[in-house]
Amino acid sequence: MTLAQAKTRYVRLSPQKARVVIALIRGKSINEAIFQLKQTASKPGRQILKTLLSAVANAVHNKGAEKDDLIISAAFVDKGPSHKRAWTRSRGMRAPIERKTSHITIGVDTQKTLAGKESK
C-alpha cells in the first residue's frame, strides 16, 4: 500500500526502454531518485521525473507528509495501446511501424510506515 501515487498514461515511449530507467530508482529515497533521474539523459528519464515529482506533491499536499521522509514504494511501467502505421517500401510494398505507448505509475510512502510493516 502506498501513501500517494501518480500515474502518467499514454506516454509516447517504449515500455521496454522506460523499464530500464524505472529500475534505477525503485526502492530509493526521493532525493536519490531525483538526482539519478536528472543525471539520466533520456526521454524516459524526463517523463519518469515528472511523474515522480507529481507523486511527491500529492503526498505532501494531500497527506501532509514530509518530502525528506518519502521513499519510492512502487514504480512500474505498463504497456499502453500502440499506434500502427505503415512505411512505404519498394515495389508498392509496405513495412509496419508500431509506435508504442506506456503507462507510468509511481507510488511513494514514508520510511516509518514501511518499517512498521516489516516488523510485523
Side-chain angles (χ1 to χ4, degrees), residues 35-107:
F35 177 76
Q36 185 72 38
L37 290 172
K38 284 186 177 179
Q39 299 302 315
T40 305
S42 65
K43 185 177 176 182
R46 290 189 295 274
Q47 292 293 330
I48 292 169
L49 178 62
K50 288 172 70 173
T51 307
L52 175 63
L53 293 176
S54 178
V56 170
N58 289 341
V60 170
H61 184 266
N62 298 338
K63 305 294 183 178
E66 291 293 325
K67 180 182 175 186
D68 296 330
D69 294 337
L70 296 174
I71 63 169
I72 298 172
S73 61
F76 52 91
V77 177
D78 293 324
K79 184 178 185 285
S82 297
H83 300 287
K84 294 181 180 170
R85 302 288 182 263
W87 183 263
T88 307
R89 307 305 294 174
S90 64
R91 296 184 297 153
M93 292 188 192
R94 48 185 272 161
I97 297 175
E98 190 174 5
R99 298 190 172 138
K100 296 174 173 66
T101 62
S102 302
H103 301 318
I104 302 169
T105 305
I106 297 179

Side-chain angles (χ1 to χ4, degrees), residues 13-33:
L13 53 92
S14 169
Q16 184 176 359
K17 293 176 184 177
R19 286 182 186 122
V20 172
V21 177
I22 207 100
L24 295 172
I25 64 165
R26 191 176 289 123
K28 293 190 178 181
S29 70
I30 297 302
N31 294 328
E32 289 178 44

Side-chain angles (χ1 to χ4, degrees), residues 104-115:
I104 302 169
T105 305
I106 297 179
V108 294
D109 206 347
T110 59
Q111 293 176 356
K112 297 170 193 167
T113 306
L114 290 177

